[in-house]
Amino acid sequence: VSRWLLLIALATARASGLAWWRARREAGRLRRRLLASASELEHLQSAFSRFAPRQLVDRLASGHAASAERKEVTILFADLVGFTRLGGRLEPETLVRLLNDHLRRMSRIADDHRGHVAKFIGDGFMALFGAHEPNPWQANDAARAALAMQAAVEEQNRERATVGLPALRMGIGIHRGSVVAGVIGSAELQESTVIGAAVNLASRVERSTRTEAASILLTAEVRAHLDPRFALRPLPPLAIRGVDEPVTVFRLEGFDG
């Protein structure tokens, strides 16, 4: 009897050991799959962050739908002056390299100031502050970003001068207002953006930098939320197409402190 009990005990121990080994192997396989899936998700999030703000990508990855919302945002438009004419004088590779370097620097500055570049428009772009997360300092962030962007353009011009490339000039217009933020487009191509009269006004303020001999112009709606240490110079109200009343603008000249 004791022999049979011993055999039964050995068989049970062997079966238990085999079951434990299989369970451990399965757990290891599942763990590897989970790690691979997490790595793949992180890779996809990183890749999609090149096309949409990281906050939006994270929300979509967590299963939250991208719904349209009305928000108060600060909109910055920037455009290189005379770049189209310059394009006819440079080799395509040089032109693209110069433009990519410029836009990379501008995007990094927007990110550093809690904003993001929402759209590239030829040699210009639109950056948003306060579009994807609450930011009571969005006007200050946009103004600081604009000053940093102009400083970066000056640095680029010094670098270009050493290799015989002409200097560039950039105009920036900033406005704050209510917009509709959401994901728009077709089934094949979509983008996260904002629409509304405030967007159009910001774009036209940027265009006014050419006639007003200013590198950075901002509206009274932005000035109302700015730190008083920003150096501003009031300009005569501008008649802007599509706006009934003349628009009060200020030239942003620096920050004291």
Side-chain angles (χ1 to χ4, degrees):
V1 175
S2 59
R3 182 183 177 189
W4 283 108
L5 290 176
L6 178 61
L7 290 174
I8 292 172
L10 289 174
T12 302
R14 182 180 179 186
S16 298
L18 184 60
W20 175 84
W21 178 80
R22 288 176 175 172
R24 184 175 180 181
R25 187 179 63 175
E26 181 66 13
R29 188 178 65 83
L30 291 175
R31 188 181 302 111
R32 289 191 296 272
R33 288 183 61 183
L34 286 172
L35 289 174
S37 297
S39 177
E40 183 178 358
L41 177 59
E42 184 177 352
H43 176 74
L44 288 172
Q45 286 180 285
S46 178
F48 278 110
S49 293
R50 297 169 56 195
F51 304 95
R54 184 71 187 222
Q55 302 97 315
L56 178 62
V57 174
D58 291 341
R59 283 169 53 193
L60 294 174
S62 62
H64 292 86
S67 59
E69 302 175 81
R70 187 169 294 278
K71 294 187 175 183
E72 182 89 4
V73 303
T74 301
I75 308 146
L76 182 154
F77 271 90
D79 191 42
L80 290 175
V81 180
F83 190 80
T84 302
R85 292 193 302 273
L86 177 64
R89 298 160 46 192
L90 298 177
E91 291 296 323
E93 294 81 2
T94 303
L95 181 71
V96 171
R97 185 171 63 252
L98 188 156
L99 183 57
N100 284 344
D101 177 58
H102 168 73
L103 295 177
R104 175 183 56 82
R105 298 189 194 204
M106 299 300 107
S107 296
R108 183 175 299 166
I109 291 171
D111 291 341
D112 289 344
H113 291 81
R114 293 182 288 192
H116 73 279
V117 171
K119 185 190 299 287
F120 292 115
I121 312 163
D123 54 39
F125 59 90
M126 177 181 73
L128 303 175
F129 300 80
H132 289 288
E133 57 185 5
N135 181 1
W137 305 281
Q138 57 180 269
N140 288 327
D141 288 339
R144 289 179 184 275
L147 292 171
M149 288 173 180
Q150 292 294 7
V153 169
E154 292 176 6
E155 180 184 352
Q156 285 178 286
N157 284 336
R158 289 191 292 270
E159 295 172 1
R160 293 187 191 104
T162 62
V163 292
L165 291 175
L168 297 175
R169 186 169 76 84
M170 184 171 68
I172 296 177
I174 312 173
H175 178 57
R176 175 171 173 156
S178 178
V179 301
V180 174
V183 176
I184 66 171
S186 65
E188 294 78 18
L189 181 63
Q190 297 183 336
E191 66 176 5
S192 170
T193 190
V194 295
I195 55 177
V199 180
N200 298 332
L201 179 55
S203 175
R204 286 164 185 166
V205 168
E206 182 278 315
R207 298 293 297 178
S208 298
T209 60
R210 292 152 175 73
T211 58
E212 300 302 316
S215 60
I216 307 172
L217 290 178
L218 55 85
T219 63
E221 288 78 5
V222 178
R223 179 182 181 273
H225 296 85
L226 278 185
D227 186 318
R229 290 176 292 176
F230 281 101
L232 302 175
R233 182 182 297 275
L235 298 178
L238 299 178
I240 292 182
R241 182 169 57 87
V243 181
D244 295 335
E245 299 293 331
V247 176
T248 301
V249 295
F250 300 83
R251 186 164 60 201
L252 176 59
E253 298 183 339
F255 182 77
D256 184 11

